[in-house]
Amino acid sequence: MLFLFKQNNMKKIIIPINFLDLDQGGFHLLVKAKINGKTARLVLDTGASKTVFDKTRYERFVKNAEMHKNAETSAGLGTNQMETHTVFVDKLKFGNLIIENYEGIIMDLSHVNEAYSGRGERQIDGVLGSDILYTYNAIIDYKSEELTLFF
């Protein structure tokens, strides 16, 4: 369930967070979004500099997506260096917050999804990164299990 409030000429959207309990007391935080009108499952990652979409699962949201190879490789997500592509998403939606023509990153997240599948979990479609979290002044409330974005 999503809620919309207005405060000091800013709206805020509250997005439920699902906690995936990992071994040794760690967690992954999962949120839902819509990519071009289709529901997506994203890992919330404050350490990710950009929002990333999985290379193999992205075709679910955009047929024949035009991707532009990035000159530099990226590090992170359990790998050293990985080839990335830039892609434009027509509409990325979190509740009533709509981000149009969003420039995201495409990477191969199969290693993450294999680990999820091995645990009997559903695969993810991407990673919600700090570019969006910072831009929309995100607040992560662990106790209430909510992500708040201001716009």
Side-chain angles (χ1 to χ4, degrees), residues 13-32:
I13 191 79
I14 298 174
I15 303 163
I17 298 173
N18 293 311
F19 284 72
L20 176 59
D21 191 0
L22 301 173
D23 297 330
Q24 301 159 353
F27 296 91
H28 276 186
L29 310 180
L30 301 166
V31 296
K32 287 185 181 174

Side-chain angles (χ1 to χ4, degrees), residues 65-125:
E66 187 175 325
M67 298 182 203
H68 305 281
K69 185 175 178 182
N70 293 326
E72 297 179 13
T73 56
S74 292
L77 297 166
T79 64
N80 289 330
Q81 297 295 314
M82 183 176 285
E83 182 178 288
T84 65
H85 293 80
T86 300
V87 69
F88 287 91
V89 176
D90 292 332
K91 192 182 287 186
L92 180 58
K93 186 174 180 187
F94 299 92
N96 290 334
L97 169 60
I98 298 171
I99 306 169
E100 293 181 329
N101 300 313
Y102 173 74
E103 183 179 342
I105 301 294
I106 296 284
M107 322 177 82
D108 182 5
L109 298 179
S110 61
H111 60 288
V112 177
N113 279 322
E114 286 170 11
Y116 271 49
S117 293
R119 296 178 53 79
E121 295 292 334
R122 289 188 354 244
Q123 295 186 349
I124 61 164
D125 299 300

Side-chain angles (χ1 to χ4, degrees), residues 26-55:
F27 296 91
H28 276 186
L29 310 180
L30 301 166
V31 296
K32 287 185 181 174
K34 289 206 174 199
I35 302 172
N36 297 330
K38 297 179 182 171
T39 302
R41 187 172 187 226
L42 306 176
V43 171
L44 192 160
D45 186 350
T46 59
S49 59
K50 291 276 291 177
T51 296
V52 173
F53 304 105
D54 179 55
K55 181 173 140 182

